Amino acid sequence: VSNASPVEVVYFNLTDEIPYDDMVAVLALQGIVNRKQGHPRLFIDAGSLNFDWPEGDAWWRSYLARSGRIAWRDAPNHFCGLLDSLACSAEELHGLVVYNGTRKHRLFDLHTGDGYSTGIALTLAGLRSLLPVTRDMLSRSPCLSKLPISVDLVSRPSFPAGNRSAAWEWAVHA
């Protein structure tokens, strides 16, 4: 048992009520904010989206709270509430990468978007500490207007409609 003070961690309940493209942004944000700390800053409860142990994240939350190692701070269950709870600095979150969304309303919907934008946006997000967002997210989440758009994959003139090869060729050299 450690005598150290508990670490404050933001807790976000990721439910299947959140559109798929918002889930993409939430999970990318978790990777960005947790990567340079000596401890995690964001813990996501995936609930029923966790296929092998839907109760696992709740179990860990309880276990870590009882152990005194973590002091949980619940974030509101919408994207701007989460972003505000984390109070990310400009050194931590450099801006946005805008991509064509999948238009999925739930994880298991079959529509996959254009087949490349999400993957390219996530790659750039990880490499450059950018938050991957869609135009729809920009219109629904006013907090995102505080961040600069660093890469706009939607308006890339070098991506002819549906041309995966051109998109990935660009991404390899970006």
Side-chain angles (χ1 to χ4, degrees), residues 12-19 23 44-49 77 105:
F12 186 75
N13 187 4
L14 185 66
T15 68
D16 58 359
E17 301 297 317
I18 296 173
M23 288 183 196
I44 296 174
D45 184 343
S48 64
L49 299 173
N77 203 28
H105 295 288

Side-chain angles (χ1 to χ4, degrees), residues 20-72:
Y20 178 81
D21 293 317
D22 290 23
M23 288 183 196
V24 168
V26 168
L27 294 170
L29 181 62
Q30 181 185 34
I32 292 168
V33 302
N34 286 350
R35 120 172 94 198
K36 293 187 180 179
Q37 303 295 323
H39 59 82
R41 289 186 51 215
L42 173 59
F43 182 91
I44 296 174
D45 184 343
S48 64
L49 299 173
N50 184 342
F51 302 112
D52 62 345
W53 190 18
E55 306 83 18
D57 296 328
W59 185 89
W60 279 110
R61 177 184 173 139
S62 175
Y63 173 80
L64 292 168
R66 281 192 322 269
S67 74
R69 295 163 54 188
I70 291 183
W72 298 104

Side-chain angles (χ1 to χ4, degrees), residues 92-114:
E92 188 172 36
L93 191 57
H94 299 164
L96 306 173
V97 53
V98 181
Y99 70 100
N100 291 315
T102 63
R103 295 177 190 81
K104 286 184 178 187
H105 295 288
R106 296 170 13 117
L107 180 63
F108 302 108
D109 289 347
L110 295 177
H111 192 274
T112 59
D114 60 21

Side-chain angles (χ1 to χ4, degrees), residues 99-139:
Y99 70 100
N100 291 315
T102 63
R103 295 177 190 81
K104 286 184 178 187
H105 295 288
R106 296 170 13 117
L107 180 63
F108 302 108
D109 289 347
L110 295 177
H111 192 274
T112 59
D114 60 21
Y116 54 82
S117 292
T118 304
I120 292 172
L122 281 166
T123 300
L124 291 171
L127 291 172
R128 300 183 186 176
S129 296
L130 303 175
L131 192 59
V133 299
T134 62
R135 293 270 181 227
D136 179 56
M137 283 186 70
L138 288 172
S139 68

